[in-house]
C-alpha cells in the first residue's frame, strides 16, 4: 500500500507515526517517574478530577455537587478572611454557582505531613521542597489566608469573579488555590507565579 502512495502522503503517514511514538514514549517515561498518573474517571460533563495533586484533609463532608471532593467547614480562618469567604460563597450562590471548600485553614501538623509525604514520594527533602512548602509557617493555608475551591468549574468562577471580594488565584499550577487580600478588591489580582515554592 505504501508503495502506491505519493511522497507527500508517505511523509505525512511517517510524521504522524513519529508523533504518536514520541507521545506514547514520553507518557511512559513520565508515568515511570511518577510525574503522570492516568485516571479512569467517568463523570459525564465534568472535567477529570485532579486528586493526587490536591492537598486537603483525608476525609470529611463530601462536596454535594461533586463527591470526589470535600466541603469542609471554614474553621480557623481569621474573622476578616471568614467574612470574605462567606461573601464569595453568597455571591456565587446568587449566580447559581456552588463552591466547595476542599481545603481551608491547615494546622502546622497538617502542612508538615504534606511535606513528609512528599519526602517519601520524591526521596529527599530537597526534591520535596520543590512541591510542598516547608517549614509549615510559609504556607498561606497555615497562616489562614488561603482556600482551595472545588470542583474546577467552581474554581474557574472564583478566578473570574473573586477579586471583587478580595480572592485571587495565585499559582499557575493550582487552579483551585485562592488567597485573600483586601487590597485585591481595588487593585485587582497580581500576576500568577509558577507555584507556591517558586519552581
Amino acid at each position: 500500500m505504501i508503495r502506491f502512495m505519493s511522497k507527500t502522503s508517505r511523509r505525512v503517514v511517517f510524521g504522524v507515526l513519529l508523533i504518536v511514538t514520541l507521545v506514547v514514549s514520553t507518557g511512559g517515561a513520565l508515568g515511570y517517574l511518577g510525574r503522570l498518573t492516568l485516571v479512569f474517571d467517568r463523570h459525564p460533563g465534568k472535567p477529570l478530577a485532579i486528586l493526587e495533586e490536591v492537598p486537603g484533609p483525608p476525609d470529611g463532608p463530601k462536596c454535594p455537587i461533586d463527591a470526589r471532593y470535600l466541603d469542609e467547614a471554614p474553621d480557623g480562618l481569621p474573622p476578616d478572611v471568614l467574612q470574605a469567604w462567606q461573601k464569595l460563597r453568597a455571591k456565587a450562590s446568587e449566580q447559581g454557582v456552588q463552591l466547595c471548600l476542599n481545603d481551608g485553614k491547615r494546622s502546622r501538623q497538617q502542612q508538615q505531613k504534606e511535606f513528609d509525604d512528599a519526602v517519601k514520594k520524591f526521596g529527599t527533602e530537597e526534591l520535596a521542597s520543590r512541591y510542598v512548602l516547608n517549614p509549615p509557617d510559609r504556607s498561606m493555608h497555615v497562616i489562614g489566608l488561603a482556600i482551595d475551591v472545588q470542583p474546577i468549574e467552581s474554581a474557574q468562577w472564583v478566578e473570574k469573579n473573586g477579586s471583587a471580594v478580595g480572592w485571587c488565584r495565585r499559582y499557575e499550577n493550582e487552579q483551585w488555590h485562592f488567597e485573600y487580600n483586601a487590597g485585591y478588591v481595588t487593585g485587582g489580582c497580581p500576576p500568577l507565579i509558577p507555584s507556591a515554592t517558586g519552581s
Side-chain angles (χ1 to χ4, degrees):
M1 176 179 162
I2 293 179
R3 190 172 49 193
F4 299 109
M5 296 166 89
S6 70
K7 277 186 173 181
T8 303
S9 296
R10 279 189 295 222
R11 286 185 183 140
V12 169
V13 168
F14 287 127
V16 168
L17 289 173
L18 179 62
I19 290 169
V20 168
T21 302
L22 287 171
V23 168
V24 170
S25 299
T26 302
L30 289 172
Y32 177 76
L33 294 171
R35 299 298 304 275
L36 176 70
T37 304
L38 300 177
V39 180
F40 180 75
D41 189 12
R42 189 180 297 274
H43 284 263
K46 292 189 175 181
L48 188 71
I50 305 171
L51 298 175
E52 267 195 21
E53 298 175 12
V54 178
D59 201 6
K62 299 292 184 194
C63 174
I65 55 171
D66 192 333
R68 298 173 296 181
Y69 302 104
L70 301 180
D71 188 19
E72 68 175 44
D75 298 335
L77 294 177
D80 58 330
V81 181
L82 175 60
Q83 185 178 29
W85 163 247
Q86 291 165 339
K87 283 182 183 176
L88 181 70
R89 207 167 199 175
K91 182 175 178 171
S93 182
E94 288 169 8
Q95 297 184 25
V97 176
Q98 187 166 355
L99 310 180
C100 289
L101 182 60
N102 192 69
D103 195 15
K105 174 78 169 80
R106 282 185 212 149
S107 68
R108 290 176 178 82
Q109 292 77 16
Q110 285 173 307
Q111 184 68 24
Q112 185 64 53
K113 184 179 182 314
E114 294 285 340
F115 183 74
D116 294 343
D117 289 347
V119 172
K120 288 176 191 168
K121 180 176 180 179
F122 298 109
T124 68
E125 289 191 0
E126 182 183 353
L127 285 173
S129 66
R130 295 183 190 173
Y131 303 96
V132 180
L133 286 173
N134 192 51
D137 289 333
R138 291 179 59 208
S139 167
M140 289 301 203
H141 282 284
V142 173
I143 294 168
L145 297 178
I147 56 172
D148 290 344
V149 174
Q150 291 290 357
I152 294 302
E153 309 95 294
S154 300
Q156 290 168 342
W157 182 91
V158 176
E159 186 169 3
K160 290 177 187 167
N161 301 280
S163 65
V165 289
W167 292 101
C168 288
R169 178 179 169 194
R170 295 297 294 115
Y171 310 128
E172 289 174 2
N173 70 329
E174 294 186 33
Q175 61 189 119
W176 52 83
H177 178 95
F178 299 89
E179 294 178 7
Y180 174 74
N181 185 317
Y184 297 158
V185 175
T186 54
C189 294
L192 292 176
I193 54 179
S195 71
T197 63
S199 59

